[in-house]
Amino acid sequence: MNFIGGVRSGFFLGLLAGGPAAVWSSYIISMIFMFITAAVLAEICSALPLSGSIYIWSAESAGPKYARFFGFIVAWWSTTAWMTFAAGNCQTTANYIVSQLAVWEIDFPGGIGYDNVKWRALIWAISEGVLLLSIAINYLPPRLYSAVFKFSVALYAVDFLLCVIWLPIGVSKTYGFRSAKEVFTMTYNGTGAPAGWNWILSFLFTAGTMIGFDASGHIAEETKNASVVAGQGIITSVVATGVLGFATTILFLFCTPDLDTLFALEAPQPFVQIYALALGKGGSVFMTIIATLGLILSTSVAIVAASRLIFAVARDGVLPLSGWIGQVDAQKQPRNAVTVMFVFGAFILCTILPSQVAFTSLISAGGIPTTAAYGLIALLRLTMTPNDFTNSHFYLGRWRIPFYISAVLFNGLVFAVQISPFFFPTDASTFNFACVILGSVTIFGILSWYFVPEEKWLRRDQVLHQLKVADEPLEGEQSYASTSVPELPEDTAPKSKRVD
């Protein structure tokens, strides 16, 4: 996960909601409870390491009676979340690029701002280009994509080290550091919300930087020894992102200008101007290039996970055009699912043109379904299947009930924050339409559950069989696809267990 990019993208939201004191304290709370949530997901991932993971986990957590209902809903939630996330990342990348106009004091016709349709058209065009590039990387041969992953991690490390070393040196020679008192005790209300809720809104930033750690589960069927490695990926992803993200957050709290100067910056991505203040215009350009490349690669990696999820959902017949989307090419890659990602993302980005409010609401909907799914899985494990999946490599044992309760309560809080308006008082320009979008997607899921015949997807005997397989002892160091699924006749093998 691109922890450095995630912190930069939401850092200013955290400062507006509660100020520095809220940012660092809420981050610690978010780390603790996101680690707990990751442990809950790793437990079931080890037992059921499947492409499409999160909706299968929801279905199996619900038990045989309600499996289909919750499986359909979370399938729609998760596909919406990942597809809108990719589009949002592209627009974030565009913000970095266009912010150089403010650094170099270049006049833009009509001014820099989303109230200018020419400005929105520029953002849209760049965002579409970034999406096209991110999608193109996904058409590389599988043997080359490992290098993309490794280069991405190396680039994030370089970005982090430059922020840790170069940025503080520049700050010390220019506008100076913030004091410890400012960093650890200063509060701020830039949202207009009541003081208590203003503070709680900081979780939009702190928890948001860690959401998405379930990605390794989506590619489990392409992972060796997946019953161990996929679960490890979930845990190490959130721990690394949380710890390094917290270190980056503390660093930025010390290295940003005073709040009056900070909120007076006019660039869409204020960090570009901060780099210019601390490192000069040339340094700002260099850091913008690093950040832009990192975001393009993280978008491409997100598309890898998302396309596998969409492929699995389509393979199981949940989505329209499932027969075509659920196909793989000669190299066993879900190319059609990648193409769907491009078409959907390109369409979503078009909403920038008529209204920035519409687009930001859609992007807000990218995180909300994932948070809802995290909390729902924990709730279902607590109430429906608390004693199943005992042979998971990450079985929680006596800790499972406290962990399930903690994950339900925390993700419920984050969900409330994500559907809340961010600025008060609320009007048409500040209303968060994400709750409406989530409600609509949920309705589609319920309609799919109602109209798709049971014999086509997640029959009761399939659910019972998967629960039985999940509680059987796991085998050794091979891929899940080749060891964990017993051979069944074609007409009885559960589709979500089959590798096409």
Side-chain angles (χ1 to χ4, degrees), residues 33-34 37 197 200 203 368 370-376 378-379 404-420:
F33 286 97
M34 279 299 188
T37 302
W197 191 247
I200 294 296
F203 283 101
I368 293 173
T370 303
T371 302
Y374 290 170
L376 179 62
L379 179 62
Y404 298 157
I405 294 173
S406 298
V408 170
L409 294 177
F410 179 72
N411 285 283
L413 174 65
V414 175
F415 177 82
V417 169
Q418 288 175 325
I419 64 174
S420 168

Side-chain angles (χ1 to χ4, degrees), residues 254-279:
F254 276 102
C255 289
T256 50
D258 63 88
L259 294 185
D260 290 336
T261 302
L262 189 64
F263 295 130
L265 300 177
E266 297 180 350
Q269 175 43 264
F271 257 107
V272 173
Q273 285 180 297
I274 291 175
Y275 287 136
L277 292 173
L279 308 175

Side-chain angles (χ1 to χ4, degrees), residues 67-154:
R68 293 187 76 251
F69 179 77
F70 288 109
F72 270 101
I73 290 176
V74 174
W76 279 88
W77 282 0
S78 53
T79 50
T80 300
W82 279 95
M83 287 195 289
T84 54
F85 171 77
N89 245 23
C90 294
Q91 197 247 9
T92 300
T93 308
N95 283 342
Y96 273 94
I97 296 171
V98 298
S99 291
Q100 283 296 323
L101 296 176
V103 170
W104 293 92
E105 300 177 352
I106 298 174
D107 291 330
F108 187 83
I112 294 176
Y114 283 102
D115 56 343
N116 178 7
V117 67
K118 293 180 180 179
W119 177 257
R120 295 201 302 269
L122 176 65
I123 297 289
W124 168 77
I126 296 175
S127 299
E128 294 283 10
V130 170
L131 176 64
L132 183 61
L133 180 57
S134 301
I135 290 289
I137 296 173
N138 273 260
Y139 288 111
L140 291 173
R143 66 180 182 278
L144 297 179
Y145 210 84
S146 176
V148 175
F149 277 116
K150 293 174 182 176
F151 181 75
S152 300
V153 174

Side-chain angles (χ1 to χ4, degrees), residues 474-488:
L474 294 165
E475 298 187 30
E477 302 292 317
Q478 299 181 50
S479 70
Y480 177 81
S482 63
T483 62
S484 299
V485 185
E487 287 294 327
L488 295 175

Side-chain angles (χ1 to χ4, degrees), residues 155-190:
L155 189 66
Y156 305 155
V158 169
D159 194 350
F160 177 67
L161 290 174
L162 288 173
C163 287
V164 169
I165 299 171
W166 192 19
L167 179 61
I169 292 174
V171 170
S172 67
K173 294 180 178 179
T174 52
Y175 54 80
F177 297 105
R178 304 280 62 74
S179 68
K181 182 178 180 180
E182 289 178 294
V183 169
F184 294 110
T185 65
M186 179 180 287
T187 61
Y188 187 84
N189 189 334

Side-chain angles (χ1 to χ4, degrees), residues 20 58 65-66 118 182 185 198 290 294 330 455:
S58 301
K65 186 175 181 180
Y66 299 104
K118 293 180 180 179
E182 289 178 294
T185 65
N198 175 67
I290 295 292
E455 61 271 14

